[in-house]
Amino acid sequence: MDVILHIGAHRTASTSFQAYLRDNDAALTRQGVGAWGPRRTRGGLFAGIWPEAEVLPRRDGPARAAGRIALALHAEVAQGRRSLIVSDENVIGPPRDGIRACMLYPAAGERIARLAAAFEGRICRAVLSIRSPDAYWTSLVAMTVARGRPLPGPHRLQGLAHSPRRWRDVITDIACALPDVPLLVMPHEVFGAVPERRLAAMLPTPVDAPRLHARRCLNAAPKLPQLRAALALAGRDTTHLPTGDGAYMPFTRAQTARLQESYADDLFWLHAGADGLATLITGKSSGAEGKTPTPDPTERGHDDGQQGRVAQAG
């Protein structure tokens, strides 16, 4: 059975994609495709893989998690599954960690290495969605504020805008954690609104991807009125939010331009082959709606020399 790990990331329509898989379970089952979403993975199946997340971590937690996963995979094979999509954006870290550290998924490599060890070499393909960091951070901050977290101040926003860690570094860390496993990178700008095409592109064998339930948009970023209400409910100051009913836009023009430039640089690297670590999926062969931003080589940003860490499961 082919096990495809859909890593996320957050704010790249992962919730909508998981709902699409769940709503089309019967149609996909007939084609031998199964899916584990957060309802399954966060219901105890992955408990113990990341001991730091446990209130009372067990020394044998990773081994017990590997045993549960092996039994669950055996059950999928017994039911005739030929492909299994494991989709949970939290496997590379909770959203608040990135905002706190002012960088994209600081522990991505270590977390994916632990997950790979729990699957005992059964992962055959990994998929990561990326998004322009100005839109990614804006959406992520809005989501966390709506859930009761404080509004980031100017210094934290500056830290996010000037973080040296880019998608390139996250991709490198994941590739190190999953050696010899093909890593596909799908831009949110192309695949976010077309889950059926995301599904078709991530599977190693062709399927008739259902179009039913394919245009639901779930967990959208809250707008200013919702953020004011959330802050007020938490007893926090709302005066730093602008007036109006539109979208939350925290970054200055200069910060936005810097973040967009870093994304163009990452796309340039991906289009050039990503040093053999990952494959950029543009959707051109499948006719996906949208268009991947194609960087101009004459306008490439500077290489900051950031290198990915070699992740280990220990």
Side-chain angles (χ1 to χ4, degrees):
M1 182 177 65
D2 295 322
V3 177
I4 300 95
L5 176 62
H6 176 227
I7 297 170
H10 296 90
R11 316 315 297 163
T12 59
S14 55
T15 299
S16 298
F17 180 65
Q18 291 151 4
Y20 164 79
L21 295 175
R22 190 168 58 248
D23 293 341
N24 287 288
D25 177 69
L28 294 174
T29 295
R30 289 192 292 270
Q31 301 184 69
V33 178
W36 294 351
R39 295 184 182 182
R40 182 77 181 276
T41 59
R42 301 179 197 176
L45 183 64
F46 285 178
I49 294 177
W50 304 288
E52 69 276 8
E54 303 294 318
V55 178
L56 295 173
R58 299 173 56 111
R59 181 170 296 179
D60 62 346
R64 292 170 67 89
R68 286 193 301 271
I69 290 170
L71 289 173
L73 290 175
H74 180 76
E76 296 288 345
V77 172
Q79 294 176 36
R81 302 281 198 269
R82 295 186 298 274
S83 297
L84 177 70
I85 299 170
V86 180
S87 178
D88 186 343
E89 60 274 23
N90 276 3
V91 299
I92 47 174
R96 63 181 179 274
D97 284 3
I99 296 174
R100 184 184 298 127
C102 288
M103 64 177 64
L104 288 166
Y105 300 106
E110 292 82 354
R111 291 180 65 88
I112 294 298
R114 286 182 176 274
L115 185 66
F119 272 85
E120 298 179 329
R122 296 182 178 92
I123 297 173
C124 73
R125 178 176 287 197
V127 179
L128 174 70
S129 296
I130 62 175
R131 185 178 186 179
S132 184
D134 59 309
Y136 168 83
W137 285 122
T138 295
S139 184
L140 191 70
V141 167
M143 181 194 72
T144 57
V145 170
R147 295 180 179 179
R149 305 298 297 177
L151 194 69
H155 292 295
R156 190 167 299 279
L157 292 173
Q158 183 76 350
L160 293 173
H162 288 262
S163 174
R165 184 168 170 83
R166 307 188 310 231
W167 285 119
R168 172 176 178 168
D169 303 295
V170 177
I171 292 165
T172 301
D173 286 355
I174 294 172
C176 290
L178 294 171
D180 304 319
V181 175
L183 174 58
L184 310 183
V185 179
M186 298 185 178
H188 171 72
E189 295 81 5
V190 174
F191 290 97
V194 284
E196 75 279 14
R197 292 174 183 173
R198 182 186 302 198
L199 172 65
M202 70 168 55
L203 289 173
T205 55
V207 296
D208 182 14
R211 291 186 61 88
L212 191 64
H213 308 296
R215 296 300 176 265
R216 297 177 62 191
C217 180
L218 303 179
N219 201 25
K223 294 188 176 181
L224 289 171
Q226 296 166 281
L227 295 181
R228 290 192 202 96
L231 289 172
L233 185 62
R236 303 186 188 278
D237 184 15
T238 63
T239 59
H240 294 293
L241 284 175
T243 59
D245 298 332
Y248 171 59
M249 303 292 288
F251 294 110
T252 66
R253 289 185 179 181
Q255 291 169 340
T256 298
R258 182 183 180 89
L259 290 166
Q260 291 175 347
E261 181 183 2
S262 77
Y263 192 49
D265 198 44
D266 288 337
L267 289 173
F268 181 98
W269 176 71
L270 285 162
H271 275 282
D275 297 329
L277 298 176
T279 300
L280 177 66
I281 307 300
T282 64
K284 292 180 180 179
S285 60
S286 61
E289 296 171 7
K291 181 180 179 181
T292 306
T294 304
D296 184 343
T298 64
E299 297 180 355
R300 185 187 179 195
H302 296 292
D303 188 345
D304 60 15
Q306 292 294 310
Q307 299 295 325
R309 300 182 303 277
V310 177
Q312 298 180 353

